[in-house]
Amino acid sequence: MKSYFDIIKDVSNLRWSIVDPEPTSFAEVQKAVKLAIEQAHSYIWSLSDFPFRIKKDVKQLEKNISAVMAPKGNVIEAWIAGSGGYLQEVDHREADFFSVEESGTPKCFWIEFGEKGAEIHLYPKPDKPYNLCVRYSDNYKAKSAQGELKFNLEEVDDVINLPDDKTLEDLYLKCLYTKAMEYLIADTTDENYQPYQKEFLEAYQNLRRLTGVKIEPRLVF
């Protein structure tokens, strides 16, 4: 897997790049280059719920405790292990009128933010211990050389949080390089901007086909 510094050097050597093509150290890399790569990575990662982003977690529910910390991502589905069906997701405003005294097997959930972050709230509150299964799209876009998950590329040896698949990595990097160049060029009237925009869209469609994404992309220009 290519490191953050490898990615920087590749972007720096793309045609029409106006930055130093041979950065000698990570510390000397222009801030604009790092920012463009990080912005491009965040943009692409959020375009679709790619299959490599989908994870599952199991939370231990305690009796009479109606909330647990949510995973670091966007919750897609939640269910009680062995229940045979998904919990219904409800709006937090609707939940304002639920009875706080009622207990039983949870039937619905909603997300609220507490002091420590996003929480999954359940109704009715558990009447005994349960296993809550949660499927979510991962927001950790990078990881360190030691495997620590991160929200974005930061350090010289950080890598993108992708499966160990060379074809997938190559396609993702193609998207990343071309979108980063869009950010670096910035001026949409520049004659070099449109070619990179076209390359990005082609690379993104190829990435969608490879990963089997069927939903419409959330493209924002």
Side-chain angles (χ1 to χ4, degrees), residues 178-193:
T178 50
K179 178 55 71 172
M181 282 300 296
E182 283 187 48
Y183 288 136
L184 282 169
I185 295 171
D187 184 359
T188 58
T189 63
D190 188 297
E191 64 180 354
N192 301 321
Y193 183 92

Side-chain angles (χ1 to χ4, degrees), residues 78-88 105-108 130-133:
W79 66 98
I80 300 297
S83 66
Y86 295 120
L87 301 183
Q88 178 186 359
T105 304
K107 296 292 189 295
C108 57
Y130 292 96
N131 287 332
L132 175 68
C133 302

Side-chain angles (χ1 to χ4, degrees), residues 44 51 112:
I44 298 162
E112 287 193 27

Side-chain angles (χ1 to χ4, degrees), residues 118-217:
E119 299 172 336
I120 299 175
H121 288 253
L122 302 154
Y123 178 80
K125 63 185 177 183
D127 60 345
K128 63 180 182 178
Y130 292 96
N131 287 332
L132 175 68
C133 302
V134 183
R135 184 172 290 115
Y136 65 100
S137 55
D138 194 358
N139 283 341
Y140 285 111
K141 297 177 280 295
K143 54 187 176 182
S144 69
Q146 293 73 40
E148 174 194 3
L149 293 173
K150 297 185 169 187
F151 284 112
N152 210 332
L153 299 163
E154 297 175 341
E155 306 296 336
V156 60
D157 291 327
D158 288 351
V159 297
I160 296 173
N161 187 20
L162 292 173
D164 188 13
D165 183 309
K166 188 65 166 61
T167 302
L168 175 60
E169 182 190 13
D170 286 348
L171 266 180
Y172 193 94
L173 288 176
K174 178 67 173 178
C175 292
L176 182 61
Y177 294 165
T178 50
K179 178 55 71 172
M181 282 300 296
E182 283 187 48
Y183 288 136
L184 282 169
I185 295 171
D187 184 359
T188 58
T189 63
D190 188 297
E191 64 180 354
N192 301 321
Y193 183 92
Q194 296 297 331
Y196 272 114
Q197 185 181 62
K198 180 180 178 182
E199 281 190 57
F200 165 73
L201 290 172
E202 291 174 348
Y204 175 67
Q205 293 303 325
N206 288 334
L207 180 64
R208 289 183 70 213
R209 282 192 285 271
L210 176 71
T211 57
V213 173
K214 303 298 183 184
I215 62 175
E216 290 300 314

